[in-house]
Coordinates of all heavy atoms in Angstrom, one line a residue:
L160 N 3.1 0.4 -1.2 CA 3.5 0.4 0.2 C 3.9 1.8 0.7 O 3.5 2.3 1.7 CB 4.6 -0.6 0.4 CG 4.9 -1.0 1.8 CD1 5.3 -2.4 2.0 CD2 6.0 -0.1 2.4
I161 N 4.7 2.5 -0.1 CA 5.2 3.8 0.3 C 4.0 4.8 0.4 O 3.9 5.5 1.4 CB 6.2 4.4 -0.8 CG1 7.5 3.6 -0.7 CG2 6.5 5.9 -0.5 CD1 8.5 3.9 -1.9
D162 N 3.1 4.7 -0.5 CA 1.9 5.6 -0.5 C 1.0 5.3 0.7 O 0.7 6.2 1.5 CB 1.1 5.4 -1.8 CG 0.0 6.4 -2.0 OD1 -1.0 6.3 -1.2 OD2 0.0 7.3 -2.8
S163 N 0.7 4.0 0.9 CA -0.2 3.7 2.0 C 0.4 4.0 3.4 O -0.2 4.5 4.3 CB -0.7 2.3 1.9 OG 0.4 1.4 1.9
V164 N 1.7 3.7 3.5 CA 2.4 3.9 4.8 C 2.6 5.4 5.1 O 2.4 5.8 6.2 CB 3.8 3.1 4.9 CG1 4.6 3.5 6.1 CG2 3.5 1.6 4.9
S165 N 2.9 6.1 4.1 CA 3.2 7.6 4.3 C 2.0 8.3 4.8 O 2.1 9.3 5.5 CB 3.7 8.2 2.9 OG 4.9 7.6 2.6
R166 N 0.8 7.9 4.4 CA -0.4 8.5 4.9 C -0.5 8.5 6.5 O -1.1 9.4 7.0 CB -1.7 7.8 4.4 CG -1.9 8.0 2.9 CD -3.1 7.2 2.4 NE -4.4 7.8 2.9 CZ -5.1 7.4 3.9 NH1 -4.7 6.3 4.6 NH2 -6.2 8.0 4.3
Y167 N 0.2 7.6 7.1 CA 0.2 7.5 8.6 C 1.4 8.3 9.2 O 1.5 8.3 10.4 CB 0.2 6.1 9.0 CG -1.2 5.5 8.9 CD1 -1.5 4.7 7.8 CD2 -2.2 5.7 9.8 CE1 -2.8 4.1 7.7 CE2 -3.4 5.2 9.7 CZ -3.7 4.4 8.6 OH -5.0 3.9 8.5
V168 N 2.2 8.9 8.4 CA 3.3 9.7 8.9 C 2.7 11.1 9.3 O 2.0 11.7 8.5 CB 4.5 9.8 7.9 CG1 5.5 10.8 8.4 CG2 5.1 8.4 7.7
D169 N 3.0 11.5 10.5 CA 2.4 12.8 11.0 C 2.6 13.9 10.0 O 3.7 14.1 9.5 CB 3.0 13.2 12.3 CG 2.4 12.5 13.5 OD1 1.3 11.9 13.3 OD2 2.9 12.6 14.6
G170 N 1.5 14.6 9.7 CA 1.6 15.8 8.8 C 1.3 15.5 7.3 O 1.1 16.5 6.6
V171 N 1.3 14.3 6.9 CA 1.2 14.0 5.5 C -0.3 14.2 5.0 O -0.5 14.8 4.0 CB 1.6 12.6 5.2 CG1 1.3 12.2 3.7 CG2 3.1 12.4 5.4
I172 N -1.3 13.8 5.8 CA -2.7 14.1 5.6 C -3.3 14.6 6.9 O -2.6 14.4 8.0 CB -3.5 13.0 5.0 CG1 -3.5 11.7 5.9 CG2 -3.0 12.6 3.6 CD1 -4.4 10.6 5.4
T173 N -4.5 15.1 6.9 CA -5.1 15.6 8.2 C -5.5 14.4 9.0 O -5.7 13.3 8.5 CB -6.3 16.5 7.9 OG1 -7.3 15.6 7.4 CG2 -6.0 17.6 7.0
E174 N -5.5 14.6 10.4 CA -5.9 13.5 11.3 C -7.3 13.0 10.9 O -7.6 11.9 11.0 CB -5.9 14.1 12.7 CG -4.9 13.4 13.6 CD -4.8 14.1 14.9 OE1 -5.7 13.9 15.8 OE2 -3.9 15.0 15.1
E175 N -8.2 14.0 10.5 CA -9.6 13.6 10.1 C -9.6 12.6 9.0 O -10.3 11.7 9.0 CB -10.3 14.9 9.7 CG -11.0 15.6 10.9 CD -12.2 16.4 10.3 OE1 -12.1 17.0 9.3 OE2 -13.2 16.4 11.0
S176 N -8.8 12.9 8.0 CA -8.7 12.0 6.8 C -8.3 10.6 7.2 O -8.7 9.7 6.6 CB -7.8 12.6 5.7 OG -8.2 13.9 5.4
V177 N -7.3 10.5 8.1 CA -6.9 9.2 8.6 C -8.0 8.4 9.2 O -8.2 7.3 9.0 CB -5.7 9.3 9.5 CG1 -5.2 8.0 10.0 CG2 -4.5 10.0 8.9
K178 N -8.8 9.1 10.0 CA -9.9 8.5 10.7 C -11.1 8.1 9.8 O -11.6 7.0 9.9 CB -10.4 9.3 11.9 CG -9.5 9.2 13.1 CD -10.1 10.0 14.3 CE -9.1 10.9 14.9 NZ -9.7 12.2 15.4
E179 N -11.5 9.0 9.0 CA -12.7 8.8 8.2 C -12.4 8.2 6.9 O -12.4 8.8 5.8 CB -13.4 10.2 7.9 CG -13.9 10.8 9.2 CD -14.6 12.1 8.9 OE1 -15.0 12.4 7.7 OE2 -14.8 12.9 9.8
E180 N -12.2 6.9 6.8 CA -11.8 6.2 5.6 C -12.3 4.8 5.6 O -12.6 4.2 6.7 CB -10.3 6.3 5.3 CG -9.6 5.6 6.4 CD -8.1 5.8 6.3 OE1 -7.7 6.5 5.4 OE2 -7.4 5.3 7.1
S181 N -12.3 4.2 4.4 CA -12.6 2.8 4.4 C -11.6 2.0 5.3 O -10.5 2.3 5.4 CB -12.4 2.3 2.9 OG -13.4 2.7 2.1
F182 N -12.2 1.0 6.0 CA -11.4 0.1 6.8 C -11.2 0.6 8.2 O -10.8 -0.1 9.1 CB -10.1 -0.4 6.3 CG -10.2 -1.0 4.9 CD1 -9.5 -0.4 3.8 CD2 -10.9 -2.1 4.7 CE1 -9.6 -0.9 2.6 CE2 -11.0 -2.6 3.4 CZ -10.3 -2.1 2.3
S183 N -11.3 2.0 8.4 CA -11.0 2.5 9.7 C -11.9 1.9 10.8 O -11.4 1.7 11.9 CB -11.0 4.1 9.7 OG -12.3 4.5 9.4
E184 N -13.1 1.6 10.5 CA -14.0 1.0 11.5 C -14.2 -0.5 11.1 O -15.1 -1.1 11.5 CB -15.3 1.7 11.5 CG -15.3 3.2 11.8 CD -14.9 3.5 13.2 OE1 -15.6 2.9 14.1 OE2 -14.0 4.3 13.4
G185 N -13.4 -1.0 10.2 CA -13.5 -2.3 9.7 C -14.6 -2.5 8.6 O -15.0 -3.6 8.2
L186 N -15.2 -1.3 8.2 CA -16.3 -1.3 7.2 C -15.8 -0.5 6.0 O -14.9 0.3 6.1 CB -17.5 -0.6 7.8 CG -18.2 -1.3 9.0 CD1 -19.4 -0.4 9.4 CD2 -18.6 -2.7 8.7
L187 N -16.5 -0.7 4.9 CA -16.2 0.1 3.7 C -16.9 1.5 3.9 O -17.8 1.7 4.7 CB -16.8 -0.5 2.4 CG -16.2 -1.9 2.1 CD1 -16.7 -2.5 0.8 CD2 -14.7 -1.9 2.2

Side-chain angles (χ1 to χ4, degrees):
L160 192 146
I161 292 169
D162 187 290
S163 57
V164 169
S165 295
R166 291 179 69 260
Y167 283 98
V168 172
D169 277 348
V171 173
I172 59 172
T173 67
E174 245 171 81
E175 272 207 318
S176 304
V177 177
K178 278 186 229 143
E179 296 182 15
E180 64 191 356
S181 287
F182 306 120
S183 63
E184 305 287 311
L186 298 177
L187 303 185

